[in-house]
Amino acid sequence: MNNNLTYTSERNAVIPLKTVYSNKGLRGERAREREASRGEALEASLSRFAVPSWIIPGGIAENARFAAGRTAEVGLCFFETEPCLAYGESDLPADLAELPLSWHVHLPLDLPWSKDEGVAAAKAALALMDKAAFLKAGRAVVHLPEGLGRSAAPAAVLAWENFMIHWQNSGRSSRDILLENQPGDEPQALLNLAEIYDAGLCLDFSHWLLTCGPEILPGRDFLQRVALVHLNAPGYEKTGHAALTELVVAEQAWAAAVLREFFACRAQDYKTNRQDDIPLMLEIFSWDKIVASLPLLQTWLAGI
């Protein structure tokens, strides 16, 4: 088996990975007791991470109250433009601001990029950020206009330019916009856009693996712009956002290497956002699967 993973960087760095992770079952009553105790400890360790606002049945309020005390941050899943713009007090009650949580926003997947050359998308995004203002949610993850992560289609470029102009004219920092890689996106295209507008990046593990596979790692220039990592797996069905336990061995080695390099970049030459931001999000839409993912994640982070 070839244990060399190649970085996507001008230096063409290569690193050998020889660690193979195994997950052996425990048997017996004492083993079950130890496993239960470990599960409690793992849940406690979630205080280092962010989770989505959709991890149990219910709305944002129910999910946030469940997450409070279990994790550090919640990513507000504003996935649909019109329904989320219609949110009221019952959806986002004022007492959410009293929970021991920090917050960020995931902007809608259906922003109207083609309407008014991106201006409508910007207005919708800013209106949603205003809805989350009482939670002090500053960062926002965004999916680029269709195809912009692969080509410089003039209409998509214009829509993105107008979006960023309106975002910054509202008084918001360009570094609070995090461009998320989508399946099929070219890392260099995303990096170019982030550098031109001084924006951040959101690295989604499952989307990267579905596009580039586990042989190619993000280069240092890319990782220096990453402000948030979405931890998840492509899954057995290759649909993304699966538990980390569904990563095959090569993908586990890739994930461990990426996290080592990511935190090295943060310590040495971090270009976007603030050092006190929560950098890791388990973007898995099931609490049980999040907890099941923690042992593997802790193994990766143990030496960092």
Side-chain angles (χ1 to χ4, degrees):
M1 184 176 81
N2 183 357
N3 286 321
N4 289 337
L5 302 184
T6 304
Y7 282 94
T8 57
S9 70
E10 293 181 0
R11 292 187 294 278
N12 197 31
V14 176
I15 61 169
L17 291 178
K18 299 180 180 178
T19 303
V20 176
Y21 301 100
S22 62
N23 194 0
K24 298 180 180 179
L26 298 174
R27 296 180 176 86
E29 187 63 32
R30 290 184 179 179
R32 283 193 291 272
E33 291 175 359
R34 289 197 297 272
E35 194 70 15
S37 176
R38 188 183 186 205
E40 293 174 2
L42 288 174
E43 286 205 27
S45 75
L46 270 164
S47 61
R48 302 170 60 189
F49 309 116
V51 300
S53 62
W54 184 22
I55 52 176
I56 61 169
I60 288 176
E62 292 86 353
N63 276 263
R65 291 176 184 129
F66 177 84
R70 290 182 169 92
T71 189
E73 180 165 314
V74 166
L76 288 167
C77 298
F78 288 165
F79 285 165
E80 297 178 287
T81 303
E82 294 304 325
C84 293
L85 285 173
Y87 278 170
E89 170 68 19
S90 62
D91 304 290
L92 294 168
D95 64 358
L96 293 186
E98 301 172 9
L99 296 176
L101 292 167
S102 54
W103 306 78
H104 70 269
V105 169
H106 194 306
L107 292 171
L109 313 182
D110 63 349
L111 283 172
W113 291 107
S114 61
K115 185 178 180 181
D116 297 331
E117 299 177 328
V119 174
K123 289 181 176 178
L126 291 168
L128 289 170
M129 295 304 294
D130 288 344
K131 280 188 179 291
F134 77 104
L135 298 172
K136 297 181 173 60
R139 298 187 296 171
V141 177
V142 66
H143 293 189
L144 289 169
E146 180 66 27
L148 191 55
R150 296 181 290 279
S151 65
V157 171
L158 179 60
W160 178 243
E161 288 178 346
N162 285 333
F163 180 95
M164 289 304 297
I165 289 170
H166 278 73
W167 180 271
Q168 291 177 284
N169 285 347
S170 75
R172 297 183 181 276
S173 170
S174 62
R175 293 189 173 190
D176 282 333
I177 278 286
L178 311 183
L179 317 185
E180 181 181 352
N181 60 303
Q182 294 301 297
D185 282 350
E186 297 176 3
Q188 190 60 51
L190 285 179
L191 178 59
N192 291 344
L193 289 168
E195 289 180 337
I196 290 169
Y197 295 99
D198 196 24
L201 292 171
C202 172
L203 172 60
D204 186 286
F205 272 18
S206 65
H207 295 166
W208 181 285
L209 288 167
L210 287 168
T211 302
C212 302
E215 297 79 22
I216 305 297
L217 283 83
R220 178 169 283 267
D221 289 344
F222 189 95
L223 289 174
Q224 284 172 348
R225 287 243 164 223
V226 172
L228 183 66
V229 176
H230 281 175
L231 300 160
N232 45 39
Y236 305 132
E237 303 298 325
K238 303 299 181 185
T239 56
H241 305 102
L244 298 179
T245 51
E246 294 192 28
L247 291 169
V248 301
V249 171
E251 292 170 340
Q252 292 178 24
W254 174 91
V258 170
L259 289 176
R260 283 198 300 271
E261 186 69 7
F262 171 62
F263 280 103
C265 288
R266 284 179 67 84
Q268 296 172 13
D269 190 15
Y270 187 54
K271 292 185 177 178
T272 58
N273 277 275
R274 298 162 291 276
Q275 286 287 343
D276 57 349
D277 283 334
I278 299 295
L280 301 179
M281 177 177 183
L282 284 146
E283 201 194 33
I284 302 165
F285 302 105
S286 160
W287 179 253
D288 290 343
K289 291 181 180 180
I290 286 173
V291 173
S293 299
L294 286 174
L296 196 52
L297 179 56
Q298 287 191 319
T299 299
W300 301 336
L301 297 177
I304 296 175

